Amino acid sequence: LEVNENGKKTLLAQSGTINRYLAKLAHCAPEDPLAAAECDMWHEAALELATVNPVVNVFRGAMFEEKKKHYFEEVLPNKLPRLAAGLGDKDFFTGDGSTP
């Protein structure tokens, strides 16, 4: 993402960096450092799940079946309990959804 701020051009890379930058610009990120860290934690957890993208978008045939089995039997079962525990009975991981 190329950003031109106050006449200075900066190239931002890495999806998490860009997401956090845009969230701050849109006032969607918490100002409290601990709350912001908690948001970052859940963001990183979601990125860990993104490893399924090449499984469903790249691989075909036997390789697809092998990668799918690995993801859904070994990767996902280790990640979902933590996410479910973090969400609990809330609608959102952090906040109430109306404000950062």
Side-chain angles (χ1 to χ4, degrees):
L1 174 67
E2 186 175 300
V3 178
N4 187 350
E5 194 170 294
N6 299 323
K8 179 186 174 196
K9 288 186 179 181
T10 303
L11 183 62
L12 295 178
Q14 304 299 329
S15 59
T17 300
I18 294 167
N19 290 342
R20 286 184 284 276
Y21 172 75
L22 294 175
K24 288 175 184 173
L25 283 182
H27 304 288
C28 294
E31 291 182 20
D32 175 67
L34 184 57
E38 188 177 13
C39 286
D40 286 347
M41 175 181 71
W42 293 119
H43 178 265
E44 295 297 329
L47 289 179
E48 290 174 4
L49 296 177
T51 58
V52 74
N53 284 334
V55 173
V56 298
N57 291 311
V58 175
F59 301 111
R60 299 288 178 261
M63 183 62 77
F64 169 74
E65 293 301 326
E66 176 186 325
K67 298 288 188 180
K68 179 178 79 170
K69 179 178 173 144
H70 171 74
Y71 184 83
F72 287 99
E73 291 181 9
E74 296 179 36
V75 175
L76 197 58
N78 292 321
K79 307 280 185 199
L80 285 182
R82 182 172 150 236
L83 292 171
L87 184 58
D89 62 355
K90 302 176 292 188
D91 292 330
F92 300 92
F93 284 101
T94 60
D96 64 7
S98 63
T99 59

